[in-house]
Amino acid sequence: MSSESKNDPRSPARPFWLSGHFAPVANEVTAHELPVEGELPNGLDGTYVRNGPNPKDGFSPHWWFGDGMVHGIHLAGGRARWYRNRYVRTARFTGTVLDRERRLRGGGTSNTHVIEHAGRILSMVEAALPMHLDGELSTVGAFDFGGAVDTPMTAHPKRCPSTGELHFFGYQVVRPYLTYYIADAGGRVVSKREIEVEGPCYLHDFAITERYALFFDSPARMIRDWGAGMPFEWSDSHQTRIGVVPRAGGEVRWFDVESGQLCHTANAFERAGTIVLEGIRSARFEAAPPYLYRWELDLESGRTRERRLDDRLVEFPRIDDRRTGRPHRYTYVVEMLDFVDGAPTRSLLRRYDAETGTSLAQELGPGQIPGECVFVPRSAWSTEDDGWLLSLVRDGERDVSELVVLDAGHFGAAPVARVRLPQRVPFGIHGSWVPAAD
Ligand SMILES: [Fe+2]
């Protein structure tokens, strides 16, 4: 491949994550008072933020390895007040030489998720500490919870809706392989425990229930540190199992399950002596399609049951985060209908209803490629589907990107609003709603 064809975004020689709707954008943009089609709900008062890889020199050897870029859209008073996109300025981004310690301390990329906790916006990647961003998405610096976190941090922490605690973990190729942390609602780490495992494995996501944390020990073994390509190797001899860890402390209990890996958690909860974990499962790391799946762990008998819930190819499961750890009714996913070279080229949003056992598609129109959707409740007291769903959507026919707002209570109906963004937003990974401060 010539370097010319590799660097030409229209070249078919370029991998999927550098072309089409994944192609990185070159500029950091600030725009105010964005055009809105439809009516933005007055109740949306805050900032939608979403992270994703956007290699600054236009090339990365894998989708996961591009520099992180956070896109933000600030909504208030029925208007779209601003759009900003900013690189997460890690040490690698600014050109600092990286040893392992520096990578851990926010040196590598930070491109996977972005959340708010205890007044801080945190950009996250599972290979390093989170990066603290200010309200306008500029990088403040690496964040180690006041020195309490000395391992990488997952990009999928879970906030307990009852306590406001942030539960998270770090995995790494050296001991301790797996560390489980709990930070209180104020951002202070109040619990740090090593979870004893045979060795490190790819552990992208986990789950909490009201009393337990769940860790998925898969055959995707971590065989070296990040920094020299994908550090995982599938081991057919490794028994896949789920570790059930009491949040309050105590023995870990392991449940053997079918060989496979948890890609993303939808939710987990306890029901009549059983722990239910729902999420996206793939039978093999980067080599098998993702499906919605349910594992049930019987705490009394020790038996497990598991099954695929649907034959559609789906990813990016999200729920109303206020249901985290307790039974939920609705799961929202991105369904992938067509692929070219591993990249989805046609997709839609789908909602699963656990009460009826049915699902419903949300068509957005031809050429529209939605990303993960985020649920925003109408108020703290509203019911599970009383609120809105936000998704960044690429319109391939018009070559624009929009923040699409759906009424969650009328899933499947036309969007209530579309916010036109001043530039294309590459298909990215995870995002959050950051409510305006009271
Ligand atoms: Fe993820």
Side-chain angles (χ1 to χ4, degrees), residues 29 36 62 110 113 133 160 162 211 297 300 315 320 389 409:
V29 170
V36 176
H62 189 285
S110 185
H113 201 350
L133 311 181
C160 173
S162 305
R211 291 182 298 165
L297 315 177
E300 194 173 323
E315 250 290 13
D320 176 345
L389 294 162

Side-chain angles (χ1 to χ4, degrees), residues 112 156 204 263-264 429-430:
T112 308
H156 286 288
H204 182 65
C263 306
H264 284 115
I429 309 188
H430 304 295

Side-chain angles (χ1 to χ4, degrees), residues 61-313:
H62 189 285
W63 186 39
W64 295 359
F65 292 163
D67 301 291
M69 177 179 274
V70 174
H71 300 257
I73 299 107
H74 182 59
L75 309 178
R79 289 155 63 186
R81 302 296 179 122
W82 55 252
Y83 162 85
R84 281 180 168 83
N85 65 308
R86 295 291 182 271
Y87 276 110
V88 184
R89 285 171 160 71
T90 61
R92 189 183 89 163
F93 180 89
T94 56
T96 307
V97 175
L98 297 178
D99 54 25
R100 185 183 179 278
E101 185 64 20
R102 283 186 177 138
R103 274 206 307 283
L104 164 65
R105 297 195 62 77
T109 57
S110 185
N111 64 12
T112 308
H113 201 350
V114 54
I115 66 157
E116 180 272 336
H117 183 68
R120 294 182 194 89
I121 298 175
L122 300 175
S123 163
M124 295 170 295
V125 68
E126 64 208 69
L129 289 171
M131 299 292 290
H132 178 192
L133 311 181
D134 70 16
E136 296 187 341
L137 311 182
S138 296
T139 301
V140 177
F143 182 66
D144 65 3
F145 291 79
V149 175
D150 57 4
T151 67
M153 174 179 170
T154 175
H156 286 288
K158 301 284 180 270
R159 182 182 284 109
C160 173
S162 305
T163 63
E165 292 166 342
L166 195 70
H167 292 242
F168 57 95
F169 65 93
Y171 76 92
Q172 58 186 0
V173 78
V174 295
R175 283 187 177 276
Y177 300 130
L178 178 58
T179 307
Y180 171 35
Y181 300 90
I182 305 172
D184 66 16
R188 190 171 63 93
V189 170
V190 294
S191 172
K192 176 184 178 186
R193 272 177 272 169
E194 179 178 353
I195 307 299
E196 194 60 44
V197 286
E198 276 176 28
C201 76
Y202 173 63
L203 233 171
H204 182 65
D205 205 342
F206 83 133
I208 59 170
T209 71
E210 291 180 82
R211 291 182 298 165
Y212 302 101
L214 311 180
F215 295 92
F216 207 96
D217 185 20
S218 87
R221 312 309 295 170
M222 189 176 197
I223 55 171
R224 58 175 174 268
D225 202 358
W226 296 89
M230 197 58 75
F232 307 109
E233 190 173 272
W234 194 264
S235 166
D236 286 319
S237 63
H238 187 86
Q239 172 66 50
T240 305
R241 54 189 197 151
I242 298 173
V244 176
V245 180
R247 285 170 45 165
E251 287 294 303
V252 182
R253 198 165 156 201
W254 293 97
F255 292 76
D256 290 354
V257 295
E258 289 290 319
S259 178
Q261 68 170 49
L262 172 70
C263 306
H264 284 115
T265 301
N267 194 21
F269 51 88
E270 298 162 50
R271 186 170 59 193
T274 297
I275 292 178
V276 180
L277 168 62
E278 288 186 6
I280 306 300
R281 173 185 178 270
S282 162
R284 201 174 176 105
F285 181 73
E286 288 199 309
Y291 298 105
L292 186 62
Y293 204 81
R294 178 186 295 151
W295 295 265
E296 294 179 65
L297 315 177
D298 188 317
L299 291 171
E300 194 173 323
S301 70
R303 281 199 291 270
T304 61
R305 287 183 4 164
E306 53 187 300
R307 69 185 176 98
R308 186 190 293 180
L309 297 179
D310 194 9
D311 289 336
R312 296 179 178 91
L313 300 183

